[in-house]
Amino acid sequence: MMPRLRDLAPKLALSVGSLFFGYVFCELLVFPFALSFFSYKLQWRVDLPFLVFCQSTKAHRVPKDYTLILGDSYAVGLGEEWDNLDRWTRKPIGAQAVLYAKTGRDIITMGHAGAGSLGAYVADPAGKFAYLNKTVLYKLPPPKLVLAYFYEGNDLDNNIRDLKHRYDGKYDAAKLTDPAYFSEFIQKGVVETDETYKRIRRWHLDQNLVFWKFIKSGFRKLWEVLSGGVPEAQAAPYEGNKFRVGGKILTVGDRLQGPSLELTPDETKKAVYVFERSLAWLRSFFPGVKVVVVYVPSPLSTYDIVSSQVAIEPYHERTPYYPASRVRQNSDLIAREIQSAADRQDCGFLDARPSLRKTGKTMLVHGGTDWRHLTRTGYAALAEAVLPVFH
C-alpha cells in the first residue's frame, strides 16, 4: 500500500499544481479580459461591482474618459427590449446603446432598478467605486461626465419609502432638514450601511478573486436549476387609461406610473429635499466632474390623455384615481423643483419630456410587455434628448 501511495503522490501533486496554476492563470490573465465578452446570461453570475467591465457600450476593458449613468431601471435600460432579449447575446440596450453608437465614447451604467435618490446617487457609486478601487486589476477611474437620471414616475415616492422603511431608525427626523446633519446621515446611515461598501473592510485578497466568485455563483445557479429553480412572478394585464396617439384613441394600462399624484405637498417637498442632498453628495464624490440631471417623464405625462381621470399604480392604501388635468400640472411642478435643486448644486439640467412627448404623439414609447418602462423607440427618443450634452 505504501509504495502505491508514494507512486501516486507525485501525480496527485502534479494534478493539484496544474489545477492551481490553471486557476491563477485564468484569474489574473484571462478573466479580466474575458469579462468584456460575456453575454447577459453569464454577466449575472459575476459579482455585482464588476458588471461595469462586462458592458458592451465601451471600447476599452477599463473605460476611459467615460460617461457614467446613474439612476433606477431607466438607467439600466429595462423595458420590452430587455424582456425579450436573447440572454446569450451582449447587444447593448437602453439609451446608452444609442448614445454609444452616436458618440463613440465609453458609457457605463450603475443603474439600480427600484432605487431612489439615496440609492442611485449615493449608495451605488460609493459602494462600487470603493470596492473596485480596493482591487488590483479592476480599479475604476472617475468619469468624465455623470448623467443622473431622475424619473418622475416614482423617484420621489421611493425617497419617501426609503426614509420610512430602508433608513428608518438611522436618522433624527427633527434634524433632517439641516443640510449638515443630512450629510452626516448620508455618510453613516447610507454609505457605511451599504452592503457593497461594508465588504471593503474584509480581507482584500477576497476582493480580487473575481473568477473564483464567478465559479461559485455558477454552481449555486446549477443547484437552483437541479432543485427546481425559482418561479418568476407574472404581471397581470391592465387596461383603462385612454391616450390619443397617431390620431387614434388607445386604451392602455389602468395602473400606470404618473408624476407622484398621490404624494401630499409636504411629502413632495421632503422627497425633493432628499434628491437635492443626494445630488450634493454626488457632486462632492466626483469633484470637478460635470453632472447633468436628466429628467425622465412618467408614462402618463408623456401622452395626450383623452380620459377625464387617470388610474395610477396603487401607492400604499391611497386612491389610484386622479383628474387627468393634474398630470401635466404635477409634472411641470416637479420638473421646476428638480431643475431648481440642480441649479443650486451647480449641475446641468436636461428635460427629456419634449423629445419623448414629440415621439409619443405618433407612436407608443412604452408598453408591449412592460408599461413601466420605455420601448426601443422610447429609449432612442431619450438618447436624442441627451445627445446635446456631448457637444
Side-chain angles (χ1 to χ4, degrees):
M1 179 66 71
M2 292 302 294
R4 289 184 61 188
L5 287 176
R6 282 196 295 268
D7 291 340
L8 286 174
K11 297 179 181 179
L12 182 62
L14 181 61
S15 298
V16 172
S18 298
L19 285 173
F20 179 74
F21 177 79
Y23 162 74
V24 172
F25 180 78
C26 289
E27 183 74 77
L28 299 181
L29 298 177
V30 176
F31 202 70
F33 296 92
L35 282 176
S36 296
F37 303 96
F38 271 25
S39 68
Y40 284 106
K41 197 82 171 178
L42 294 176
Q43 287 178 21
W44 295 107
R45 304 271 65 82
V46 176
D47 198 14
L48 198 58
F50 300 92
L51 284 180
V52 296
F53 292 91
C54 302
Q55 294 176 25
S56 55
T57 50
K58 57 183 178 62
H60 307 88
R61 185 187 80 86
V62 178
K64 297 181 180 179
D65 296 328
Y66 65 96
T67 295
L68 172 64
I69 300 178
L70 300 174
D72 61 3
S73 49
Y74 277 78
V76 177
L78 298 190
E80 181 182 36
E81 187 176 6
W82 171 260
D83 293 340
N84 298 289
L85 185 69
D86 177 0
R87 295 295 193 267
W88 286 110
T89 71
R90 58 189 301 273
K91 172 186 175 184
I93 60 171
Q96 55 268 36
V98 181
L99 293 173
Y100 177 64
K102 293 200 171 188
T103 66
R105 302 184 189 181
D106 285 1
I107 297 173
I108 64 172
T109 176
M110 288 186 180
H112 185 159
S117 301
L118 290 168
Y121 303 160
V122 179
D124 277 324
K128 290 172 182 174
F129 272 88
Y131 191 85
L132 291 172
N133 288 328
K134 285 287 186 179
T135 66
V136 175
L137 299 176
Y138 301 92
K139 294 185 185 296
L140 188 64
K144 184 176 181 180
L145 170 68
V146 175
L147 299 178
Y149 282 17
F150 173 85
Y151 173 52
E152 73 169 20
N154 62 15
D155 276 10
L156 296 185
D157 307 66
N158 290 342
N159 288 350
I160 297 298
R161 173 207 65 192
D162 287 348
L163 289 180
K164 287 183 176 179
H165 302 289
R166 182 168 299 176
Y167 301 111
D168 182 41
K170 294 184 172 66
Y171 63 89
D172 184 340
K175 298 179 180 179
L176 207 58
T177 54
D178 178 1
Y181 176 79
F182 202 98
S183 297
E184 181 183 340
F185 154 64
I186 282 183
Q187 181 60 36
K188 295 181 179 179
V190 179
V191 173
E192 294 179 9
T193 61
D194 176 69
E195 288 304 315
T196 302
Y197 187 87
K198 286 193 293 187
R199 289 164 63 187
I200 68 175
R201 301 172 184 172
R202 301 174 187 171
W203 187 34
H204 291 173
L205 178 60
D206 178 65
Q207 294 167 291
N208 292 278
L209 303 182
V210 186
F211 180 48
W212 173 246
K213 293 177 182 178
F214 173 75
I215 294 173
K216 289 196 300 182
S217 177
F219 276 111
R220 282 198 300 269
K221 181 63 177 179
L222 179 62
W223 174 254
E224 286 179 8
V225 172
L226 294 177
S227 61
V230 180
E232 295 185 0
Q234 299 296 318
Y238 302 126
E239 53 181 331
N241 295 303
K242 296 182 186 298
F243 299 153
R244 181 179 288 107
V245 180
K248 299 179 180 179
I249 296 178
L250 304 179
T251 301
V252 296
D254 72 351
R255 298 188 183 187
L256 301 184
Q257 291 179 332
S260 296
L261 299 171
E262 67 285 357
L263 295 185
T264 66
D266 285 343
E267 287 174 328
T268 299
K269 182 179 179 181
K270 180 183 292 187
V272 171
Y273 174 73
V274 173
F275 161 81
E276 182 172 354
R277 299 321 309 165
S278 301
L279 193 62
W281 183 93
L282 181 64
R283 291 283 286 116
S284 66
F285 188 67
F286 293 122
V289 175
K290 182 179 181 181
V291 177
V292 177
V293 176
V294 179
Y295 190 94
V296 182
S298 60
L300 280 178
S301 63
T302 301
Y303 303 98
D304 179 15
I305 302 174
V306 176
S307 45
S308 60
Q309 70 173 7
V310 293
I312 67 170
E313 282 190 346
Y315 181 77
H316 296 294
E317 297 181 356
R318 301 181 188 183
T319 177
Y321 303 107
Y322 297 89
S325 59
R326 280 196 55 198
V327 173
R328 292 292 176 100
Q329 293 174 0
N330 241 45
S331 180
D332 291 341
L333 170 66
I334 295 172
R336 286 195 300 269
E337 293 294 328
I338 296 301
Q339 183 172 10
S340 296
D343 290 343
R344 286 192 293 270
Q345 299 307 320
D346 197 26
C347 295
F349 178 83
L350 194 150
D351 192 348
R353 291 180 301 170
S355 178
L356 283 163
R357 286 172 177 174
K358 179 181 179 181
T359 306
K361 285 184 178 295
T362 57
M363 63 184 73
L364 291 173
V365 294
H366 303 84
T369 56
D370 187 348
W371 263 98
R372 289 185 174 186
H373 302 102
L374 295 168
T375 61
R376 182 187 301 184
T377 301
Y379 279 116
L382 176 58
E384 287 297 327
V386 174
L387 271 175
V389 174
F390 293 87
H391 300 318

